[in-house]
Amino acid sequence: MKKDNLNYIILLLIFLVSILLNIFVFEEDSRVPHVSTFTILLITFILIISNSKIKKLIGIFLLFLISLKIIYALYSNGNVTTAVLRSILETNTHETLSMISALFLKLILPSFIITAGSFYFIDKIKKNEKNTSLFLYSILFSAILSIILIALDIKNDQRLISHIKVDKLELGVFFQHKIPLVFGDIIYLIISANDDKYLNTAEIEKFNSSILSKRENNNKNIILIMGESSLFSRYSAYGYHLNTTPHMQKIFSTENSCIVNNAHSSAPVTRDSIPMTLAFNTPESAKNLSENKSIVEMASANGYKTYWLGSQELQGIYSSKYGFIAGKSDYVKLTNYKDNQLPNILAKVLSDSAPKRFIIIHLFGNHMPYDNYDEVDKKALPNAEKYDLTIHYTDRVVNDIFNVINEKKIDFNLIYTSDHGEKVNVGHGSLKGKEQYLIPFMYKSTNPIYDCRFIESFRNKDGYLSGLMNKYILSELLGYEIDKNILKKERDYDRILNANEKPILFAEISE
Ligand SMILES: [Zn+2]
């Protein structure tokens, strides 16, 4: 075969691989991703066949990243989401180590094998390859074409430009879609790492426009227990065949309490969900987080002492999106992933002299790697999956918390819910999977004015109680009057923020 012909065949092959990758692996089928993926594959190829050792090494490293990305996409049914990318930056060492060990065999090993295989194959080709000018010209052409097309896409999307002005991370999201082959992820990570808008701890003056007035009220102790990665259908309280939640079933089955059906979260990840529960973020915009008082600040403004008792120790908790809210609390105590220390801390908190308290208890709950349980749970449910054991453990923690409240003989409004659900044994933060949103919601109140009918009034026309309602529920409990028109509009527009930071209708999430 003539060498020139071989070059054209290789070029065509790379083009084919590029198209197949975009359509079937990354599910990004528009003009920029096609051109950009082709360009990056070509660059990788030309680096690997280069005679320079350094260029070759860079090429092999790129090839490894590409393999890693492809294997991950195949394993998680689509391109890596920005939610997963951010967790790389925000996760602490505890979680990172447990994730790496869980992913090693699934991701890293196959990527090494693919890299080695492809390198061997490309190196074979190289033996016949002396004239690389065709590839160099192709790279030049497709790179310039990518830049022109990206510029055109930015220019034609007015919404994008205004979004970038509010939040520069939107630009990262844009690139992550347009350049699905590794480079877009790197751009997203760089923009995200330099995002310091959550560092500001100054008090925010302005109330959200839905808040009309505040008044004195009788809710002395408002306690929100925020579970983690909790799928309602694994609770015996919701009909699961294993007896995973005997205590919660009992606690929330009395006359002044309820186990609420059809609750869903507002996002599939902690970081997005919490600011829509405890601040006025919406799926469409995060600007209210920095412009309006959060629920924690609203509690302070109406005479409550505020507490954040959390199991989740984030590195730089004050600089993350929900650490920004947590940091505004009068009292912050973190337990380094030990949910069972929270009841004791609560007992101390309830012994202080504050006349009114707003307490958030943030659990580690049922997060991967599903190791948050002990011997007691194993004995109680000897044949259960690990995930179910973590639910049983959480049930015991909630019981201990409730016992502390009960012993103090205080007035209280108690909510137990979760930041999001879970695709059990898969995780959360992906685009598909309704189970990532389906959560428990339980309520108990010693104030008959705020009984279960109060909670039910937040249910939307499709029959769901959305996590978007949490901030309004809490606002009313804290003594604030809400604009009924805004509430109705927000309530009946049942949408969520998906794992790629796009608002979509809850009804449109595929199973
Ligand atoms: Zn979470």
Side-chain angles (χ1 to χ4, degrees):
M1 193 186 291
K2 267 178 73 183
K3 273 170 195 162
D4 276 354
N5 284 346
L6 182 67
N7 281 358
Y8 284 112
I9 290 171
I10 292 169
L11 204 61
L12 194 71
L13 220 77
I14 293 176
F15 186 65
L16 266 176
V17 170
S18 158
I19 288 184
L20 291 176
L21 276 181
N22 281 327
I23 296 178
F24 295 108
V25 181
F26 302 136
E27 298 177 10
E28 297 283 0
D29 188 11
S30 65
R31 55 188 194 182
V32 179
H34 284 311
V35 184
S36 72
T37 300
F38 177 61
T39 313
I40 291 162
L41 285 178
L42 268 182
I43 292 173
T44 311
F45 177 77
I46 205 91
L47 282 171
I48 288 177
I49 64 168
S50 152
N51 288 323
S52 143
K53 279 216 171 83
I54 294 173
K55 282 187 192 162
K56 200 185 273 293
L57 268 176
I58 296 172
I60 292 170
F61 182 63
L62 249 172
L63 186 59
F64 176 69
L65 289 181
I66 290 169
S67 314
L68 201 62
K69 180 105 208 235
I70 294 170
I71 302 270
Y72 181 87
L74 288 172
Y75 171 67
S76 64
N77 284 319
N79 195 359
V80 61
T81 61
T82 55
V84 169
L85 286 176
R86 281 180 322 206
S87 70
I88 297 172
L89 289 177
E90 291 192 0
T91 307
N92 59 15
T93 38
H94 171 102
E95 221 172 318
T96 313
L97 287 177
S98 61
M99 263 167 68
I100 288 175
S101 59
L103 290 178
F104 186 78
L105 284 177
K106 278 181 193 153
L107 282 181
I108 297 177
L109 206 58
S111 304
F112 266 122
I113 293 168
I114 289 190
T115 308
S118 318
F119 177 72
Y120 178 77
F121 181 67
I122 296 169
D123 209 48
K124 278 256 145 127
I125 294 173
K126 195 208 148 191
K127 300 250 152 54
N128 302 306
E129 197 55 69
K130 293 287 172 285
N131 184 4
T132 55
S133 53
L134 174 70
F135 299 113
L136 290 173
Y137 283 125
S138 303
I139 289 174
L140 195 66
F141 175 73
S142 58
I144 291 173
L145 188 62
S146 298
I147 292 167
I148 293 172
L149 291 176
I150 285 172
L152 280 176
D153 276 6
I154 294 179
K155 191 173 156 275
N156 293 335
D157 190 346
Q158 280 308 315
R159 235 183 100 219
L160 177 72
I161 296 169
S162 65
H163 281 178
I164 291 169
K165 278 182 190 154
V166 175
D167 186 353
K168 61 183 172 183
L169 211 52
E170 288 283 338
L171 190 65
V173 174
F174 171 83
F175 277 115
Q176 207 252 340
H177 279 289
K178 295 294 177 186
I179 315 178
L181 202 63
V182 180
F183 280 66
D185 304 311
I186 294 172
I187 295 174
Y188 179 88
L189 285 173
I190 290 171
I191 295 179
S192 187
N194 291 303
D195 191 9
D196 55 2
K197 67 173 175 290
Y198 303 124
L199 281 173
N200 191 349
T201 54
E203 197 192 326
I204 297 168
E205 295 296 327
K206 212 170 124 196
F207 285 93
N208 181 255
S209 57
S210 64
I211 303 298
L212 298 178
S213 63
K214 72 177 177 197
R215 49 179 183 257
E216 270 299 302
N217 71 338
N218 271 330
N219 297 324
K220 300 247 167 53
N221 295 282
I222 300 168
I223 302 168
L224 169 67
I225 306 174
M226 184 54 84
E228 172 59 65
S229 312
S230 225
L231 177 62
F232 86 108
S233 56
R234 294 300 183 103
Y235 284 59
S236 49
Y238 283 99
Y240 191 49
H241 67 278
L242 293 177
N243 198 15
T244 46
T245 57
H247 296 113
M248 282 194 243
Q249 183 143 17
K250 211 169 134 205
I251 295 166
F252 295 99
S253 293
T254 58
E255 208 177 300
N256 62 346
S257 51
C258 41
I259 297 168
V260 176
N261 281 320
N262 289 339
H264 74 75
S265 67
S266 53
V269 284
T270 315
R271 188 179 191 283
D272 289 333
S273 161
I274 303 263
M276 289 192 273
T277 280
L278 293 175
F280 288 82
N281 285 27
T282 64
E284 291 74 30
S285 166
K287 75 173 169 37
N288 289 344
L289 183 65
S290 51
E291 291 183 2
N292 294 156
K293 274 189 196 298
S294 68
I295 297 295
V296 171
E297 285 178 290
M298 282 168 60
S300 292
N302 207 19
Y304 286 83
K305 186 170 177 188
T306 56
Y307 307 80
W308 184 282
L309 319 179
S311 285
Q312 301 200 31
E313 202 103 30
L314 283 177
Q315 239 161 34
I317 173 165
Y318 296 108
S319 62
S320 72
K321 195 169 168 185
Y322 77 82
F324 178 79
I325 302 168
K328 302 283 174 87
S329 310
D330 298 317
Y331 177 92
V332 178
K333 185 83 184 171
L334 305 174
T335 68
N336 194 19
Y337 297 94
K338 295 188 180 69
D339 283 346
N340 60 357
Q341 291 181 358
L342 293 165
N344 278 335
I345 298 171
L346 179 67
K348 269 185 214 139
V349 159
L350 291 179
S351 304
D352 70 13
S353 61
K356 290 203 285 185
R357 304 181 188 90
F358 177 58
I359 304 170
I360 292 160
I361 302 176
H362 188 206
L363 304 179
F364 184 52
N366 320 111
H367 201 282
M368 276 195 157
Y370 311 148
D371 59 0
N372 195 23
Y373 63 85
D374 61 26
E375 289 302 317
V376 178
D377 309 295
K378 274 207 267 187
K379 228 178 225 162
L381 301 171
N383 298 317
E385 282 186 65
K386 282 164 106 189
Y387 184 78
D388 293 337
L389 294 177
T390 67
I391 301 269
H392 190 267
Y393 181 84
T394 303
D395 183 63
R396 289 165 53 211
V397 171
V398 171
N399 186 47
D400 290 346
I401 289 172
F402 180 68
N403 287 338
V404 167
I405 298 170
N406 212 20
E407 276 161 27
K408 294 281 174 191
K409 304 211 178 330
I410 51 171
D411 292 340
F412 66 86
N413 307 74
L414 173 67
I415 295 172
Y416 170 77
T417 186
S418 178
D419 60 346
H420 51 80
E422 179 85 340
K423 286 197 273 189
V424 176
N425 295 323
V426 178
H428 55 272
S430 56
L431 280 182
K432 290 170 198 159
K434 217 156 200 162
E435 290 185 325
Q436 298 177 98
Y437 299 87
L438 301 175
I439 50 170
F441 192 105
M442 305 188 198
Y443 180 69
K444 194 177 186 76
S445 164
T446 54
N447 183 349
I449 297 170
Y450 294 95
D451 59 5
C452 289
R453 278 169 301 181
F454 162 71
I455 299 292
E456 285 298 325
S457 73
F458 292 90
R459 196 179 284 285
N460 67 32
K461 60 176 173 39
D462 301 336
Y464 278 96
L465 177 66
S466 164
L468 291 176
M469 291 298 103
N470 291 338
K471 53 182 164 288
Y472 299 113
I473 292 173
L474 292 168
S475 297
E476 287 210 19
L477 289 176
L478 288 165
Y480 288 91
E481 191 195 343
I482 304 168
D483 184 318
K484 291 279 175 285
N485 289 326
I486 295 180
L487 175 63
K488 188 174 182 308
K489 226 174 93 197
E490 282 293 303
R491 185 186 64 203
D492 290 334
Y493 180 21
D494 193 9
R495 75 285 193 209
I496 52 92
L497 181 61
N498 78 10
N500 270 338
E501 292 161 79
K502 292 275 169 283
I504 63 164
L505 291 175
F506 178 66
E508 281 174 6
I509 306 161
S510 49
E511 284 301 327

